[in-house]
Amino acid sequence: MHALPYRSGLRRLSGVASVLAVLVAVPPAVLPRAAAAATVAATAATAAATADEGSPDRDFTIKDPRITESSGLAASRIHPGIYWTHNDSAHPPYIYAVDSRTGETVATITLAGIGEIRDAEAISLGPDGNLYVGDIGDNLNGSWDHVWIYRFPEPKQLKDATVRPTQFTVRYEDGPRDAESMMVDPTTGRVYIASKNQNGGGLYEGPAKLDPSGTNTFRRIGEVPWVTDGAFSPDGKELTFRSYFSARAYEWKDGRLGAHHSVEAPFQRQAESVTYTADGRALMFGTEGAGSGVVRVDIDGGKSGGKSGGAETEPSTGNGTGAGTGASGKSAGGLTLGGAVLLAILGFFGFRRLRGKGKG
């Protein structure tokens, strides 16, 4: 059965409404200064992009026309600069290897023997060298009595191939729910899922070892905000979650969430995915849509370890809410005042263009 197709449209409508609310809040007096700042920032970004062209793990655009709903992202550990991604619901069971240097797909892996993927929302790489794909989405907000995880070895050669993954059946201890975030602890190999709920979700812990022949029960061990993806740092000391307009990183110790802080995150049209670079020096944020972009955000100036971007740190209260403001001056959602002004300008001219077409 296909997941219902209306979800993406609703997300985009919600995102547009939120952006409009931000734009309305911008005081008119600061618009000229903000517009000038946005121009300077755009020029600097263009220069940086030119300097970084051809380097791995930089901002890139996914060029494959088949990838229209990239819902998960995982950095390869054996192929530098390669990122694994996939579409979500109502798509063939393909996993794509995308080269961050060019944005081109360099390998397509077909998952065989699993039937039809229902709603794949996450991908993660485990310490065992396996890729884990989370078929964990539920557009009916908790109607499936079980979901699935697929596991297969990360290919040593980047070429098109068909694999038969190990399939695991998953149930939640406290009943069905929607989820878009699945993470594999890089030190223990344990799988975690974060549920998605408007009022906040839960962090669920899987068994120490997944069983392909039985049902794997995930139990709730913590509370998280509304999240669309999550990722462990390569050293396993931090767990970062993103939502549509913000991101937060949590200290991770003994399999539990600790103190958390805001993380600088870009504003994207439909924020869906996040992963750490293989060296742990940056976070890569992805989005859905044809020709979708992946944006790099350095951690502490690109240094490995430490806290990611945010200025404040606070103990975990269980709900993990609060966007905070990053050290760079961006909100944790990545929408600067300059960005808001730019959106307003684009919207204004777009509206005028539509009116002109209407008169014709």
Side-chain angles (χ1 to χ4, degrees), residues 5 25 29 37-38 53-54 71 128 160 196 210 231 251 256 260 291 301 321-322:
E53 188 173 358
S71 290
D128 54 3
D160 293 352
K196 177 185 174 186
L210 295 178
E251 292 180 4
R256 293 296 181 270
H260 55 89
T321 56

Side-chain angles (χ1 to χ4, degrees), residues 283-316:
L283 285 159
M284 305 291 284
F285 292 90
T287 180
E288 284 192 0
S292 59
V294 177
V295 178
R296 174 184 172 120
V297 175
D298 286 335
I299 298 172
D300 281 351
K303 296 178 181 179
S304 179
K307 295 179 177 61
S308 311
E312 87 287 354
T313 302
E314 51 191 280
S316 178

Side-chain angles (χ1 to χ4, degrees), residues 22-347:
V22 172
L23 295 177
V24 170
V26 177
V30 303
L31 290 179
R33 296 196 306 271
T39 301
V40 172
T43 302
T46 301
T50 302
D52 291 330
E53 188 173 358
S55 300
D57 303 324
R58 309 305 306 179
D59 294 10
F60 66 95
T61 299
I62 297 175
K63 298 179 180 178
D64 193 327
R66 298 172 298 173
I67 306 174
T68 58
E69 293 186 289
S70 174
S71 290
L73 204 62
S76 172
R77 298 293 188 267
I78 59 177
H79 303 295
I82 298 299
Y83 288 83
W84 297 97
T85 190
H86 54 84
N87 288 307
D88 57 17
S89 58
H91 287 277
Y94 299 154
I95 309 300
Y96 304 94
V98 180
D99 192 334
S100 60
R101 302 167 189 82
T102 64
E104 301 286 354
T105 296
V106 293
T108 301
I109 307 301
T110 302
L111 305 186
I114 60 171
E116 185 175 286
I117 288 182
R118 190 159 55 193
D119 192 359
E121 291 286 355
I123 187 168
S124 185
L125 187 62
D128 54 3
N130 285 312
L131 283 164
Y132 292 71
V133 179
D135 192 356
I136 56 175
D138 187 344
N139 290 338
L140 297 176
N141 198 30
S143 295
W144 312 122
D145 63 356
H146 67 279
V147 292
W148 297 292
I149 293 173
Y150 314 115
R151 184 186 70 192
F152 62 96
E154 182 180 16
K156 291 183 172 56
Q157 295 183 328
L158 292 174
K159 61 180 182 179
D160 293 352
T162 298
V163 301
R164 186 173 290 270
T166 303
Q167 183 170 351
F168 303 97
T169 299
V170 170
R171 283 193 173 95
Y172 301 99
E173 186 179 48
D174 51 358
R177 55 207 60 245
D178 187 20
E180 294 191 8
S181 311
M182 182 202 68
M183 301 74 58
V184 182
D185 189 313
T187 58
T188 66
R190 200 161 199 154
V191 181
Y192 296 84
I193 295 174
S195 64
K196 177 185 174 186
N197 187 283
Q198 187 172 358
N199 297 319
L203 180 63
Y204 290 81
E205 177 186 72
K209 185 177 181 180
L210 295 178
D211 179 6
S213 61
T215 297
N216 297 272
T217 301
F218 278 57
R219 61 190 186 93
R220 195 175 186 124
I221 61 167
E223 306 302 313
V224 295
W226 173 293
V227 294
T228 59
D229 201 13
F232 279 105
S233 59
D235 61 10
K237 295 181 179 179
E238 196 167 71
L239 176 56
T240 293
F241 290 108
R242 82 166 304 176
S243 64
Y244 295 134
F245 296 102
S246 65
R248 296 197 74 80
Y250 293 75
E251 292 180 4
W252 184 256
K253 186 176 181 180
D254 300 326
R256 293 296 181 270
L257 296 170
H260 55 89
H261 57 274
S262 65
V263 176
E264 183 180 320
F267 175 75
Q268 294 174 302
R269 58 189 174 189
Q270 191 174 341
E272 281 288 320
S273 56
V274 65
T275 188
Y276 284 80
T277 54
D279 60 11
R281 298 168 72 89
L283 285 159
M284 305 291 284
F285 292 90
T287 180
E288 284 192 0
S292 59
V294 177
V295 178
R296 174 184 172 120
V297 175
D298 286 335
I299 298 172
D300 281 351
K303 296 178 181 179
S304 179
K307 295 179 177 61
S308 311
E312 87 287 354
T313 302
E314 51 191 280
S316 178
T317 58
N319 58 19
T321 56
T325 302
S328 69
K330 282 186 179 181
S331 71
L335 181 61
T336 62
L337 185 57
V341 172
L342 183 58
L343 283 173
I345 292 171
L346 291 173

